[in-house]
């Protein structure tokens, strides 16, 4: 039996999970390795069941689906952090007004290119553009980042003039300026959760890890990485 906990996560939580894993091991707990890939790929690999994962970290609805299909353990889900979607522009660019929903809509319409991810925030943005009735109009200007490619890198290179992604994925990117979070009326927030993977031989250790990651002790690391405790 392996004495290492093995986890898989989406890219959005990569940095915060690395910090929390280090803190967990510093307490003398079982070593853990967490592989971070595109969220859709992570869910597929857990569902395939070919790899011996102990714990999975994804957006809460993706975890719910894995539990519903018996690929994660019912009752093991723990909500860990809340991540807000923010707007970024190249660092030398003028910052648009996004103080309310109308201003944000105008900024999107004015942008020569608009970037977002394949993750939950990208899906929610597409729905927002549909609701605003501008989805068709801006379609030629949309640049969707490939899985695992940060939107921030596209903004920094100038490929995208107006980028939308979770704050946690943008705070460490050089060459961009974060304009701010989406206005409250159209905020896009994602809760990330963890769960024990079905078939894990280290259920107790995995549950202890999740309890630690949800504890008050872990809150500061989440804030440092641009998230809030869930």
């Amino acid at each position: 039996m392996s004495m290492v906990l093995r986890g898989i996560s989406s890219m959005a939580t990569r940095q915060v999970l690395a910090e929390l894993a280090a803190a967990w091991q510093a307490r003398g707990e079982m070593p853990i390795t967490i592989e971070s890939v595109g969220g859709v790929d992570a869910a597929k690999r857990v569902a395939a069941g070919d790899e011996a994962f102990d714990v999975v970290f994804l957006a809460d609805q993706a975890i719910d689906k894995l539990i519903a299909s018996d690929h994660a353990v019912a009752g093991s889900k723990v909500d860990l952090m809340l991540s807000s979607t923010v707007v970024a522009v190249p660092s030398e660019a003028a910052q648009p007004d996004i103080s309310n929903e109308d201003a944000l809509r105008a900024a999107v319409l004015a942008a020569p290119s608009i970037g977002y991810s394949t993750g939950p925030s990208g899906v929610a943005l597409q729905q927002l553009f549909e609701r605003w009735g501008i989805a068709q109009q801006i379609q030629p200007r949309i640049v969707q980042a490939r899985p695992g490619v940060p939107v921030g890198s596209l903004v920094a290179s100038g490929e995208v003039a107006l980028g939308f992604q979770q704050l946690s994925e943008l705070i460490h990117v050089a060459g961009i300026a974060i304009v701010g979070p989406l206005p409250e009326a159209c905020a896009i927030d994602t809760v990330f959760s963890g769960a024990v993977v079905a078939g894990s031989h280290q259920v107790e250790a995995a549950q202890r890890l999740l309890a630690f990651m949800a504890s008050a002790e872990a809150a500061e690391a989440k804030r440092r990485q641009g998230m809030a405790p869930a």
Side-chain angles (χ1 to χ4, degrees):
M1 190 171 82
S2 155
M3 292 310 288
V4 175
L5 276 174
R6 189 163 171 225
I8 189 166
S9 81
S10 57
M11 296 301 286
T13 52
R14 181 171 47 99
Q15 283 156 322
V16 68
L17 289 175
E19 189 170 335
L20 291 175
W24 158 261
Q25 286 177 209
R27 305 173 65 175
E29 291 280 8
M30 184 184 288
I32 175 165
T33 63
I34 302 172
E35 186 183 350
S36 296
V37 296
V40 174
D41 290 341
K44 275 186 187 155
R45 284 171 61 183
V46 170
D50 304 329
E51 301 168 86
F53 293 116
D54 298 296
V55 62
V56 56
F57 305 93
L58 290 168
D60 64 340
Q61 290 164 329
I63 294 285
D64 290 342
K65 283 180 186 162
L66 288 173
I67 290 171
S69 59
D70 296 328
H71 294 112
V73 177
S76 72
K77 178 185 168 189
V78 179
D79 292 339
L80 298 174
M81 41 230 149
L82 176 77
S83 181
S84 297
T85 300
V86 299
V87 177
V89 296
S91 49
E92 69 287 351
Q95 296 196 13
D97 175 11
I98 59 164
S99 57
N100 56 54
E101 190 168 357
D102 287 343
L104 178 63
R105 184 176 182 274
V108 169
L109 285 171
S113 49
I114 302 136
Y116 54 76
S117 74
T118 52
S121 63
V123 174
L125 267 172
Q126 288 169 327
Q127 292 165 345
L128 180 63
F129 298 155
E130 292 281 350
R131 177 160 74 75
W132 285 347
I134 63 171
Q136 296 302 110
Q137 188 181 344
I138 63 172
Q139 188 54 46
R141 292 183 269 144
I142 296 286
V143 180
Q144 191 170 29
R146 295 180 305 286
V149 174
V151 174
S153 66
L154 302 178
V155 176
S157 71
E159 193 179 333
V160 162
L162 195 68
F164 293 82
Q165 197 162 29
Q166 289 163 34
L167 176 63
S168 58
E169 296 201 60
L170 291 173
I171 52 173
H172 300 301
V173 179
I176 68 169
I178 292 165
V179 184
L182 274 56
E184 202 174 323
C186 53
I188 296 171
D189 297 325
T190 304
V191 172
F192 287 98
S193 311
V196 180
V197 176
S200 168
H201 295 296
Q202 305 181 113
V203 173
E204 194 196 349
Q207 286 172 329
R208 275 206 320 279
L209 171 73
L210 290 173
F212 164 70
M213 287 184 166
S215 70
E217 206 178 324
E220 202 42 55
K222 294 171 190 176
R223 292 195 187 97
R224 257 198 302 280
Q225 300 296 344
M227 295 191 176

